[in-house]
Amino acid sequence: MDDDELVFASDELTENVLPQQAKWRILVVDDEQEVHQVTSLVMNDMVFDGHGIRLEFASSAKEAKAILADDTEHDIAVAIIDVVMESSHAGLELVQWVRDELKNHTIRLILRTGQPGEAPEESVIRDYDINDYKNKTELTALRLKTSLYATLRSYRDIRIIERHRRGLEKIIDATSQFIECDTLNEFASTILDQISVILNIESSQIVCCAVVKEPNQSHSDLKILAANQGATLHLAVNPSTLNEIVDKRIAEALEAKKNIEKEDYFVGYFTTKRGTESVLYVENEARLEAVQHHLLGVFTHNIAVAHENLKLREVIKESQKELSYVIGEAVEMRSKETGSHVKRVAEISYLLAKKYGLSEADAELIKLASPLHDVGKVGIPDHILNKPGKHDVDEQKIMQTHPFIGYEMLKKSENPILQLGAHISHEHHEHWDGNGYPRQLCGNDIHVAGRITAVADVFDALGSKRCYKGPWTEEEIVEYFKQEKGKRFEPELVDILLADLPSFLEVRRKFPDNPTERADTSEK
């Protein structure tokens, strides 16, 4: 039988691990030049999986080590190693070095020897991590090719597995990025970057579109989370701006309710338990390989689940915010104050926190908790809480218990918003110089959220219209905070407020008071 008639199982369904024009690198390690020449002659026209062979030669184990040490990407597929070279066990020692010191378990190793007595076949195969062992006297051209085909196939499959492993690691990393997102905009803005990382290509080379279809929505009601134009990511794109071809392909995936995998594009489809359908469209300038299709399929699933969870988190967060406002407004209504006060205090507290240098998460938490600053007033009798005139000494003492009452109400909760609300309630009447109440704390002993809410509360109260007074002018408010800087309020917070007064005044225009005039007791 002619060598060229040798037929192996079809590899059409496997992935190509080499670039289009690349060849399989084969290292021949032997101290006989004739062996180099014969090996080159036999394997010169070999083709496996659509790629030819590139032979490299070393005449000693030392030369081989230098070549293998430079192969940091493990691109050498097979090494054919003679046992006896500069020493009787040079080949065996080279095998051990490759596996134990170089830690290269990807390369396939074929041992061959002209002196089988120096290295008995059974013990060598048992004791050394090799893939084949051949006696030179029995190694015909056919047997050499057979061994090489088998080891190349093994090498290719190992590289495919390794690519899948690395790809899945990227999927896991990408998923962690999504978990850290706090808003849908942040979520959408990570999609393009993560896909380019997963595919290991520049973002400018791909067309990307992430789409969500809610239950019972028509195709015209699709929500596009993100779409790119070149390397620029656009958020919340109007569906009508989609390329006609892209729109058609997305519609096909939604209709078929499954992934569509083509050489130059991929449409991933996934539906959640709630019935939300998610589609990820990726189009690449170059051919998309099978492993990339697989990873994009996994990624589509992760995008859908992460998006669903993020939406749920936003609903919960919005519910918590509304609950804080409802509780705060209920207290304000009982004390005959405007409900818009708690919204303004929340917004002003958020602005102060951000400008003070707190993180977005901490600033948002203060925003959600600050409406609870006066929740303790529910424990104050109506005749004291709503007294139109000045409180006497005894009434003032009772009024000054509301921070502690609020603290006792909220402190037992494990909810972080209510926990912070407890601190704010307890400490928003403490003064920077220690002359506040109820515990006469001073300076940094006052929780930062309490210090911030104190400024926000007083700033809004001074600028509000009440039945017994009109709102203070900007000049009067500025003068008051200058006087109380370092006394009632932390100096840095006063500086922040006055340095950007228009931003804080804008909050009042955004959340105007109720037309109904109410008595102001927030600062009693």
Side-chain angles (χ1 to χ4, degrees):
M1 181 174 68
D2 188 82
D3 292 347
D4 293 334
E5 294 177 357
L6 191 63
V7 177
F8 290 84
S10 172
D11 296 303
E12 291 181 1
L13 299 179
T14 61
E15 299 166 14
N16 199 334
V17 301
L18 295 182
Q20 192 170 2
Q21 303 299 324
K23 295 183 177 182
W24 302 102
R25 292 179 66 189
I26 310 295
L27 176 62
V28 179
V29 187
D30 201 298
D31 58 356
E32 297 181 32
Q33 291 301 313
E34 290 183 1
V35 172
H36 292 186
Q37 294 168 3
V38 171
T39 303
S40 180
L41 183 64
V42 170
M43 297 193 300
N44 189 51
D45 60 348
M46 269 190 65
V47 175
F48 172 71
D49 219 15
H51 298 274
I53 302 296
R54 172 185 161 190
L55 290 174
E56 301 177 29
F57 298 95
S59 298
S60 65
K62 182 178 180 181
E63 287 183 23
K65 285 183 178 180
I67 295 172
L68 290 166
D70 286 337
D71 180 31
T72 55
E73 299 298 321
H74 296 175
D75 290 332
I76 297 178
V78 181
I80 304 172
I81 303 171
D82 189 16
V83 174
V84 181
M85 290 180 286
E86 58 261 61
S87 70
S88 59
H89 291 85
L92 297 177
E93 291 168 358
L94 177 60
V95 168
Q96 279 190 315
W97 178 82
V98 169
R99 299 304 195 202
D100 297 340
E101 295 189 34
L102 203 57
K103 303 297 183 185
N104 185 342
H105 298 281
T106 304
I107 189 173
R108 305 294 84 194
L109 301 177
I110 300 174
L111 273 179
R112 61 181 178 181
T113 183
Q115 304 175 46
E118 292 290 338
E121 183 174 349
E122 182 179 352
S123 62
V124 169
I125 292 176
R126 181 188 67 230
D127 299 334
Y128 292 87
D129 185 5
I130 62 173
N131 303 100
D132 205 354
Y133 185 89
K134 298 295 182 184
N135 189 326
K136 287 182 180 180
T137 59
E138 302 173 351
L139 193 57
T140 63
L142 175 58
R143 288 185 176 178
L144 179 58
K145 282 188 174 182
T146 301
S147 181
L148 198 56
Y149 278 124
T151 49
L152 280 174
R153 183 173 285 104
S154 175
Y155 170 80
R156 178 203 60 196
D157 293 345
I158 289 172
R159 291 303 296 263
I160 289 173
I161 292 171
E162 178 64 17
R163 287 180 66 186
H164 276 268
R165 183 188 65 78
R166 289 198 301 266
L168 290 173
E169 285 178 351
K170 291 176 180 178
I171 291 286
I172 293 170
D173 289 341
T175 301
S176 68
Q177 295 287 328
F178 289 135
I179 290 173
E180 293 173 0
C181 292
D182 288 322
T183 66
L184 287 173
N185 277 352
E186 286 181 31
F187 172 82
S189 67
T190 64
I191 292 175
L192 178 62
D193 286 340
Q194 294 303 326
I195 288 177
S196 63
V197 168
I198 289 166
L199 299 184
N200 198 29
I201 54 181
E202 294 293 328
S203 58
S204 59
Q205 294 179 281
I206 61 175
V207 174
C208 165
C209 183
V211 178
V212 172
K213 181 174 180 283
E214 297 295 341
N216 304 318
Q217 278 188 334
S218 65
H219 184 71
S220 60
D221 294 324
L222 292 179
K223 180 179 181 181
I224 301 179
L225 298 180
N228 76 309
Q229 183 176 2
T232 304
L233 187 70
H234 300 279
L235 307 179
V237 182
N238 190 314
S240 63
T241 62
L242 280 182
N243 178 292
E244 184 177 340
I245 295 175
V246 174
D247 184 64
K248 180 181 178 182
R249 291 169 176 174
I250 289 174
E252 288 175 357
L254 287 169
E255 179 69 25
K257 298 188 181 303
K258 65 179 183 180
N259 294 354
I260 297 175
E261 301 177 0
K262 301 294 183 180
E263 284 194 355
D264 59 341
Y265 73 90
F266 167 87
V267 190
Y269 173 88
F270 182 80
T271 182
T272 65
K273 292 180 180 179
R274 199 174 67 86
T276 301
E277 297 173 283
S278 296
V279 175
L280 176 67
Y281 177 84
V282 178
E283 179 184 330
N284 190 21
E285 293 177 0
R287 175 178 175 270
L288 287 170
E289 299 177 5
V291 65
Q292 292 174 315
H293 281 301
H294 172 71
L295 293 175
L296 287 171
V298 176
F299 193 59
T300 304
H301 171 276
N302 286 8
I303 286 177
V305 173
H307 177 258
E308 193 86 343
N309 290 338
L310 185 56
K311 281 183 63 182
L312 180 60
R313 281 164 53 192
E314 287 205 331
V315 169
I316 293 172
K317 185 188 294 183
E318 191 64 26
S319 298
Q320 289 178 324
K321 181 172 71 174
E322 290 302 317
L323 183 58
S324 295
Y325 285 161
V326 167
I327 294 173
E329 288 174 3
V331 173
E332 300 301 314
M333 290 177 67
R334 181 170 177 267
S335 59
K336 305 294 190 277
E337 295 175 1
T338 169
S340 296
H341 173 66
V342 294
K343 289 188 174 71
R344 293 196 297 266
V345 169
E347 293 292 330
I348 294 168
S349 295
Y350 172 80
L351 280 177
L352 283 169
K354 287 291 291 180
K355 293 176 181 293
Y356 191 72
L358 299 187
S359 68
E360 174 65 29
D362 288 340
E364 185 68 23
L365 194 59
I366 291 175
K367 178 181 178 180
L368 295 175
S370 59
L372 303 172
H373 64 282
D374 273 340
V375 69
K377 286 183 178 179
V378 298
I380 304 300
D382 284 345
H383 71 278
I384 296 176
L385 184 65
N386 296 319
K387 183 178 179 179
K390 187 176 178 62
H391 290 134
D392 61 31
V393 175
D394 291 335
E395 290 171 339
Q396 191 170 8
K397 287 181 180 179
I398 293 173
M399 192 66 189
Q400 290 183 353
T401 63
H402 82 269
F404 181 73
I405 294 172
Y407 173 72
E408 287 293 308
M409 290 173 59
L410 302 174
K411 72 174 184 179
K412 296 177 183 178
S413 173
E414 294 182 1
N415 183 294
I417 295 174
L418 299 186
Q419 286 179 346
L420 187 61
H423 287 294
I424 291 173
S425 174
H426 206 195
E427 300 178 17
H428 75 288
H429 281 298
E430 300 286 0
H431 293 184
W432 183 257
D433 63 5
N435 289 318
Y437 65 89
R439 294 184 292 162
Q440 292 77 51
L441 300 179
C442 65
N444 290 323
D445 290 339
I446 307 169
H447 195 288
V448 64
R451 305 196 306 265
I452 286 172
T453 304
V455 172
D457 184 30
V458 174
F459 177 77
D460 186 66
L462 293 178
S464 298
K465 181 181 179 181
R466 298 294 183 251
C467 61
Y468 58 87
K469 74 171 185 70
W472 284 24
T473 66
E474 292 181 24
E475 291 77 11
E476 289 173 325
I477 293 173
V478 168
E479 185 60 31
Y480 177 80
F481 274 94
K482 285 180 178 179
Q483 291 175 2
E484 295 298 322
K485 175 181 176 180
K487 298 177 183 178
R488 182 168 189 169
F489 307 115
E490 178 181 352
E492 185 176 350
L493 287 171
V494 172
D495 289 340
I496 291 170
L497 178 73
L498 299 183
D500 193 12
L501 194 61
S503 295
F504 295 97
L505 292 172
E506 177 62 27
V507 174
R508 175 166 301 283
R509 286 184 281 272
K510 186 177 179 182
F511 299 99
D513 272 327
N514 239 318
T516 306
E517 294 184 351
R518 307 177 192 273
D520 180 13
T521 60
S522 66
E523 292 308 308
K524 291 182 180 179

